[in-house]
Amino acid sequence: MSVKVKICGLSTPETVNAAIKGGASHIGLNFFPPSPRSISFDQARALAEPIPGHVRRVGVFVDPCNALLDQAIDAGQLDIVQLHKTNPNRVAAIRELCGLETWSAIGVRTNDDLKAALRHVGAADFLLYDTLQPDDAALPGGMGVRFDWNLLASFAHPLPWGLAGGLSLENIGEAIRITGAPLVDTSSGVESGPGIKDVDKIAAFLKAATNL
């Protein structure tokens, strides 16, 4: 099985280059200002320019307004819009407005949370299962916390999907074996500190995920 890997929240040329060199299929650019991984439109332009066409650029948003989407898509030359905390109707509207592949992040803590996946059928193109954070959490993801992957082991996924939430070099093999995830997504798992990506960790994670 060939697993695709998204390295998310990149903010420097060095880490983007490490992700490309290591074989990442997707690179995530964060446009949620409260996040330590958030970047400006100028940063996005500089980071996106050298990314080759076979590596897809994903913009990460939390229930964004249209103006933010328009500016970010242009600056980051985005191929994909990834939406957190966005209801299915708004997801569908963004998908139609942007004309881009659209991902819905589904927060998971218990089996009941997976029911949300069904509500995004017809709205999103792809589901990204992430750890459900408390309502008062500062960030929707990138917290380094995993959920019970066994919840996905027998789940009938209604759309193409991927796995996020607390993935690291130490657990990526187990995560893929349990869930059969066709795509995995890491952010804090390849950092030396909040928002500070480590090129060696990026390389090691990509090697581990793509050589199972």
Side-chain angles (χ1 to χ4, degrees):
M1 180 179 67
S2 177
V3 177
K4 294 180 179 179
V5 181
K6 173 172 167 273
I7 305 294
C8 198
L10 296 177
S11 59
T12 67
E14 293 78 15
T15 53
V16 169
N17 289 338
I20 294 168
K21 184 178 178 181
S25 58
H26 299 70
I27 284 176
L29 304 177
N30 188 306
F31 295 97
F32 182 54
S35 171
R37 302 163 187 91
S38 181
I39 57 175
S40 68
F41 299 134
D42 285 342
Q43 284 178 293
R45 287 188 185 91
L47 294 172
E49 188 61 36
I51 298 175
H54 69 276
V55 179
R56 307 193 76 193
R57 304 170 185 85
V58 184
V60 179
F61 304 89
V62 178
D63 201 16
C65 66
N66 291 351
L68 173 58
L69 285 165
D70 288 344
Q71 290 177 281
I73 289 168
D74 177 67
Q77 302 176 42
L78 301 182
D79 303 300
I80 296 169
V81 172
Q82 177 181 320
L83 302 170
H84 292 254
K85 294 189 175 181
T86 308
N87 71 60
N89 289 338
R90 178 60 178 154
V91 172
I94 289 173
R95 183 186 183 202
E96 183 174 358
L97 173 71
C98 299
L100 296 178
E101 181 177 329
T102 302
W103 294 10
S104 282
I106 306 296
V108 180
R109 185 182 299 133
T110 69
N111 193 62
D112 281 348
D113 296 321
L114 294 175
K115 295 175 183 177
L118 300 174
R119 296 195 289 272
H120 288 260
V121 174
D125 299 290
F126 186 94
L127 303 175
L128 185 67
Y129 300 103
D130 201 350
T131 305
L132 181 64
Q133 304 295 340
D135 290 339
D136 60 352
L139 303 174
M143 307 291 281
V145 180
R146 55 176 279 186
F147 62 93
D148 182 1
W149 298 321
N150 290 293
L151 295 175
L152 297 181
S154 59
F155 184 61
H157 301 282
L159 289 171
W161 65 283
L163 176 66
L167 299 179
S168 66
L169 174 62
E170 290 74 25
N171 64 28
I172 186 59
E174 179 189 7
I176 293 172
R177 283 191 294 272
I178 290 174
T179 66
L183 178 145
V184 293
D185 181 347
T186 190
S187 184
S188 62
V190 291
E191 291 180 346
S192 57
I196 303 172
K197 294 293 187 290
D198 184 301
V199 294
D200 293 330
K201 289 186 177 182
I202 290 172
F205 183 89
L206 284 162
K207 184 177 180 180
T210 57
N211 286 278
L212 291 172

